[in-house]
Amino acid sequence: MTKREEALEYHRMGRPGKIAVVPTKPLNNQRDLALAYSPGVAEPCLEIERDPEEAYAYTAKGNLVAVVTNGTAVLGLGNIGALAGKPVMEGKANLFKQFSDLDVFDLEVGSENPDDVIKFCQLLEPTVGGINLEDIKAPDCFYIEETLRKTMKIPVFHDDQHGTAIISGAALLNGLEVVGKDIGSVIVVFSGAGAAAIATAEHYVRLGVKREHILMCDREGVIWKGRPGDMDPYKARFASETSKRTISDAFDGADVFVGLSVAGAVTPEMVAKMAPRPIIFALANPVPEILPEEVRSVRDDAIIATGRSDYPNQVNNVLGFPFIFRGALDVRATEINEEMKMAATRALALLAKEDVPDTVSSLYGLRDVSFGGDYLIPFPFDPRVLLWVAPAVAWAAVASGVARDFIDLDEYRNQLEERLGRARGIMRGLMNRAKKSPKRIVFPEGEEPKILRAASILVDEGIALPILLGDRALIEEAARRMNLSLEDIEIENPQTSPRREHYARELWKRRHRKGLSIDEAGRKLYNSNYFGSCMVAEGDADALLSGVNLHYPETIRPALEVIGAHRKAGIVSGMYMLVFEKRVIFCGDTTVNIDPTAEQVAQIAYAAARISRTMGIVPRIAMLSFSNFGSVRHPDTEKMARATQILRERDPSLVVEGEMQADTAFDMQLMERDYPFSALKEEANVLIFPNLAAGNIAYKLLNHLGGATAIGPILVGMRRPVHVLERGADVQEIVNMAAVAVVDAQARSQQGDRAPLSANGATPTIFSRL
């Protein structure tokens, strides 16, 4: 499947598009119907008629943004029309919801007349709390926004103009601090003179850059006073008194470059002419004006930012618009003024100077992230951005007199925490970590179409290095039918592999005292799961992922025989990561141990805590039973209490409590009132069950009835990373589990745990139960 076909399938699969309207009130019976519609709905209507401000109390207006376009300047596609721009607007709606919990109507206006767009937006004022203008060509976008801001009493914001200005402004402030330059003395060169460039230049002026120090370049070169030809009034603001005529001329002695134009607009020779310690913002997407490695080839003293996620200092508008609108709507601001934009810039700049929690840096596979040349602005998936930018914008609205509501900042931050929780972006964080150092993942079911499609995605996204086991001719034929490239995908046939003889000898060494002959070892290797397990054991692959067409014991048995349990674990267990909208829960053991002892339960909890930390989440462990702290005396409850004691003795730093009932683990009011001695002061996020029946039933109920996304089973306690797919897993689930396997392999590699296994390992005792 080509990238084009993949993108089309992504938008087409299931319910077409990327957004839906979800009701927030029940409609289950006649009483609900009478309240939601006639006759009950008349009451809020009358209240709003009496006082229009009551619309914010009785309708969704206060959490609703209209994303409006006429499709005249869509991404890099140009004037493709309103309807063709709809997928972009739906994507924008998705970002609003995911990052700030704002609801969106995407509205595509079928007119290129700016006055029509203005009239359309004005008529929307009773419906929405704010308007985000998107992908409207210049100079129409300036006229539209200026007119709407003068005539409407709700926030209107053209993100193409101001988003880049706000975020790059934060990077500029911090970059200048790092290089030790004064903002009032620097020379700034712009490549590009469209809406984003002009708005960014104006924002820089408000930050302290002198207008006469800005050299703006368009297709014809430097914009200078007296240049022949027509020039719109917005460009004319930046016409310079200068003898410089080309963009190359402009680079002589410049301190800062801001690229908002096209790939390749800047050469290394131009960069070489800049002042010492230059700042270079090459923001064209997907390919910047000049690549960071090209800059480094001539200037090792440069600070660089791009619009891409694979380089440091990503200037991404998602750091701005969701949180700016969140703050503006939460105080019912009548506009988004310059004070609010400036507050957003300074909040981002200040946040970058704060200590970066491990939970944030680990989302990107990094350690010890700190303020400096490679970290000027926060990461897009840093959940703290919401807690810094939205309050700063809201307070600026209050202070500048455009807010109609007042907020208590501490209480407001708590509301924001509750609104989003910490679960958003967990899989994207894992993907980002995996991309930092992709590992070799062997797929024993290499001929399976879903595995082929997942392998193609893993290569395209740079998440993993897939190894497919199977018949090469069959795999190549399947890939041809599916229009998939096999480039950078290794294929190994267990039937004919030259590694079989070596693997057979190693397997025999491990199992000959278990009754395995050398001939039987050779025959076992015709089974792809045995062969793949040997690859991992011998260091020819970093992790194994299998099970899409197999029952669980068929997948785990070869891995246990060949690889076995880690020497420090002594027991293998299976856990699931359940990702809810606002929380992440780890459940164990859900797949392996039928009736573990107290010592084994403690080990299962310890391994689950390690995985939680690996995923960037601080574990809070609840040992579950049908009793609360000895309220019922029974061997099962005493087992969980004993396991809690064992785990505390093993690792006193862990937050672990038990035994307790499941609801107690999440009811902090009950915990504080009845069990103030409990070490659990926040809701648990690691649930440890007394036996396999409880764990397996619980995670499946949470997955199917609770609406969680289940990632797993994650096999813990193995000597090497081995993970099992659920039978029938879809392509995205395979990709998710591959990312988990890569992150697991990365962690083990960092711990120096990658030498080939010796042949004297023993199969754990739980194997007899499979």
Side-chain angles (χ1 to χ4, degrees):
M1 182 180 286
T2 64
K3 287 187 179 294
R4 177 180 182 276
E5 291 169 333
E6 185 181 355
L8 293 174
E9 177 61 22
Y10 171 84
H11 286 80
R12 182 173 49 223
M13 66 181 180
R15 178 183 292 194
K18 299 190 286 284
I19 58 175
V21 176
V22 178
T24 60
K25 299 294 188 294
L27 192 62
N28 301 321
N29 50 48
Q30 186 62 35
R31 176 180 176 276
D32 291 344
L33 180 59
L35 291 172
Y37 205 57
S38 182
V41 73
E43 299 304 329
C45 291
L46 293 171
E47 286 297 300
I48 295 168
E49 181 189 31
R50 180 185 60 81
D51 180 1
E53 287 296 298
E54 290 298 299
Y56 289 93
Y58 295 115
T59 76
K61 178 181 172 75
N63 201 60
L64 188 59
V65 174
V67 173
V68 178
T69 188
N70 63 359
T72 53
V74 179
L75 296 176
L77 304 175
N79 187 349
I80 62 174
L83 181 58
K86 187 174 178 64
V88 178
M89 304 312 122
E90 288 190 355
K92 191 88 171 189
N94 209 318
L95 296 176
F96 267 110
K97 189 64 178 178
Q98 296 288 349
F99 283 90
S100 63
D101 197 30
L102 284 167
D103 299 314
V104 167
F105 287 156
D106 69 290
L107 300 168
E108 293 74 32
V109 183
S111 174
E112 294 187 16
N113 184 336
D115 290 314
D116 288 344
V117 178
I118 289 169
K119 186 63 174 178
F120 178 84
C121 291
Q122 289 170 335
L123 293 172
L124 286 176
E125 187 162 359
T127 301
V128 297
I131 293 176
N132 182 102
L133 299 171
E134 193 79 14
D135 291 349
I136 299 171
K137 69 180 181 181
D140 293 356
C141 58
F142 302 118
Y143 168 59
I144 291 170
E145 186 189 40
E146 287 174 0
T147 304
L148 292 176
R149 288 185 62 185
K150 292 175 182 176
T151 59
M152 299 183 71
K153 295 299 182 184
I154 60 174
V156 178
F157 183 82
H158 184 210
D159 183 49
D160 300 319
Q161 290 184 59
H162 309 297
T164 302
I166 289 165
I167 291 116
S168 70
L172 177 69
L173 292 177
N174 284 344
L176 291 174
E177 181 175 331
V178 170
V179 301
K181 293 184 180 182
D182 176 59
I183 195 168
S185 62
V186 293
I187 304 297
V188 183
V189 175
F190 277 82
S191 174
I198 291 171
T200 300
E202 290 287 3
H203 193 64
Y204 285 11
V205 169
R206 285 186 286 271
L207 286 170
V209 175
K210 292 181 179 178
R211 189 177 294 271
E212 58 268 28
H213 287 178
I214 293 175
L215 293 172
M216 186 170 289
C217 306
D218 59 12
R219 293 185 183 91
E220 298 176 28
V222 176
I223 299 172
W224 51 278
K225 286 184 178 179
R227 192 177 80 174
D230 293 334
M231 186 181 301
D232 68 58
Y234 305 100
K235 277 188 186 181
R237 297 175 189 167
F238 292 96
S240 304
E241 293 276 8
T242 179
S243 61
K244 297 179 179 181
R245 295 294 182 261
T246 68
I247 186 172
S248 180
D249 294 340
F251 268 86
D252 287 333
D255 299 284
V256 179
F257 166 72
V258 181
L260 291 161
S261 54
V262 295
V266 175
T267 66
E269 290 74 21
M270 296 178 190
V271 173
K273 298 191 294 181
M274 296 181 74
R277 304 210 72 188
I279 296 172
I280 297 168
F281 296 163
L283 305 181
N285 254 329
V287 182
E289 286 81 2
I290 184 169
L291 291 167
E293 44 267 39
E294 294 177 297
V295 174
R296 297 290 182 211
S297 71
V298 294
R299 298 299 297 262
D300 60 5
D301 61 340
I303 286 181
I304 310 165
T306 71
R308 289 170 45 156
S309 61
D310 51 347
Y311 293 110
N313 297 322
Q314 183 190 12
V315 176
N316 190 321
N317 282 19
V318 81
L319 280 168
F321 68 84
F323 316 112
I324 292 167
F325 270 97
R326 179 78 273 163
L329 266 63
D330 286 341
V331 293
R332 302 184 194 174
T334 57
E335 63 176 299
I336 294 174
N337 58 23
E338 301 308 325
E339 291 88 345
M340 295 160 74
K341 297 172 194 172
M342 195 65 67
T345 289
R346 297 197 183 280
L348 287 169
L350 288 171
L351 177 56
K353 298 177 186 179
E354 293 289 307
D355 290 336
V356 181
D358 291 341
T359 52
V360 173
S361 57
S362 64
L363 288 174
Y364 290 81
L366 301 172
R367 293 182 176 182
D368 301 322
V369 176
S370 60
F371 175 69
D374 285 338
Y375 182 68
L376 299 177
I377 49 177
F379 298 120
F381 281 91
D382 186 339
R384 298 176 303 161
V385 176
L386 173 70
L387 307 180
W388 280 66
V389 176
V393 170
W395 189 250
V398 172
S400 61
V402 299
R404 288 177 288 185
D405 202 359
F406 188 82
I407 58 167
D408 176 274
L409 281 178
D410 290 334
E411 183 180 338
Y412 182 48
R413 288 192 181 97
N414 290 335
Q415 292 171 1
L416 293 173
E417 286 265 21
E418 293 172 4
R419 184 180 288 278
L420 280 189
R422 295 294 189 184
R424 305 275 180 134
I426 185 70
M427 275 316 302
R428 178 48 51 194
L430 287 177
M431 301 290 183
N432 287 335
R433 290 185 62 185
K435 290 177 184 180
K436 296 292 182 182
S437 179
K439 299 297 181 183
R440 300 163 298 171
I441 309 297
V442 60
F443 293 90
E445 300 160 290
E447 298 169 8
E448 160 62 41
K450 286 189 285 190
I451 296 291
L452 275 171
R453 200 177 300 282
S456 178
I457 293 171
L458 293 170
V459 169
D460 287 345
E461 297 293 325
I463 296 168
L465 307 172
I467 303 170
L468 305 181
L469 300 187
D471 186 289
R472 175 176 289 275
L474 293 177
I475 291 173
E476 290 177 345
E477 173 59 22
R480 187 192 62 77
R481 288 196 310 269
M482 299 164 67
N483 199 22
L484 296 174
S485 170
L486 293 175
E487 187 176 356
D488 297 324
I489 296 177
E490 183 181 340
I491 299 173
E492 185 86 22
N493 188 346
Q495 312 295 318
T496 59
S497 172
R499 293 169 167 162
R500 284 188 70 253
E501 185 176 344
H502 170 69
Y503 289 169
R505 285 197 306 271
E506 292 302 315
L507 179 57
W508 174 76
K509 288 178 185 178
R510 289 182 59 78
R511 303 290 297 172
H512 67 274
R513 291 188 180 275
K514 302 287 185 180
L516 184 71
S517 70
I518 188 69
D519 288 341
E520 289 171 327
R523 287 195 295 273
K524 279 184 179 289
L525 289 172
Y526 287 112
N527 180 315
S528 291
N529 277 288
Y530 276 99
F531 190 93
S533 297
C534 285
M535 291 188 76
V536 174
E538 292 301 305
D540 296 325
D542 299 303
L544 179 144
L545 188 58
S546 183
V548 71
N549 288 324
L550 299 170
H551 292 291
Y552 195 81
E554 296 175 88
T555 304
I556 194 176
R557 191 188 310 272
L560 289 171
E561 291 185 7
V562 176
I563 297 172
H566 195 284
R567 62 186 180 278
K568 293 182 180 178
I571 184 172
V572 174
S573 59
M575 59 177 287
Y576 271 84
M577 181 167 68
L578 299 176
V579 182
F580 295 86
E581 185 178 359
K582 297 185 179 181
R583 72 177 76 209
V584 175
I585 299 292
F586 296 87
C587 297
D589 179 6
T590 56
T591 59
V592 179
N593 298 276
I594 294 175
D595 189 16
T597 64
E599 290 76 12
Q600 289 172 328
V601 169
Q603 177 54 41
I604 290 166
Y606 184 81
R610 184 186 70 82
I611 289 292
S612 173
R613 284 184 174 134
T614 298
M615 302 302 175
I617 296 172
V618 178
R620 299 186 298 273
I621 306 168
M623 298 291 204
L624 299 184
S625 186
F626 54 87
S627 166
N628 279 323
F629 305 103
S631 62
V632 177
R633 309 297 298 179
H634 186 276
D636 285 348
T637 64
E638 291 168 357
K639 176 176 75 173
M640 299 307 285
R642 172 64 181 149
T644 303
Q645 180 182 350
I646 293 170
L647 184 55
R648 280 182 176 153
E649 291 171 356
R650 176 172 180 178
D651 188 348
S653 69
L654 283 175
V655 176
V656 55
E657 193 56 272
E659 88 289 5
M660 70 179 70
Q661 296 177 10
D663 58 338
T664 306
F666 298 100
D667 190 338
M668 291 302 100
Q669 289 185 339
L670 172 67
M671 190 76 80
E672 185 177 352
R673 185 186 69 238
D674 293 354
Y675 313 108
F677 54 83
S678 171
L680 202 61
K681 303 302 182 185
E682 297 179 70
E683 294 181 356
N685 55 18
V686 178
L687 306 182
I688 304 301
F689 299 93
N691 53 52
L692 185 60
N696 192 269
I697 292 167
Y699 101 79
K700 289 183 176 178
L701 286 173
L702 288 169
N703 179 208
H704 291 282
L705 299 182
T709 298
I711 300 171
I714 302 170
L715 210 57
V716 294
M718 295 289 293
R719 290 191 179 190
R720 295 286 183 267
V722 175
H723 295 288
V724 183
L725 295 166
E726 281 200 322
R727 186 174 169 87
D730 64 26
V731 172
Q732 189 57 52
E733 289 168 339
I734 297 168
V735 171
N736 288 348
M737 280 305 300
V740 170
V742 170
V743 170
D744 189 6
Q746 288 172 342
R748 293 170 189 251
S749 179
Q750 291 166 358
Q751 296 161 7
D753 194 15
R754 280 301 309 144
L757 298 181
S758 63
N760 58 0
T763 303
T765 55
I766 51 90
F767 175 67
S768 60
R769 300 191 182 106
L770 293 173

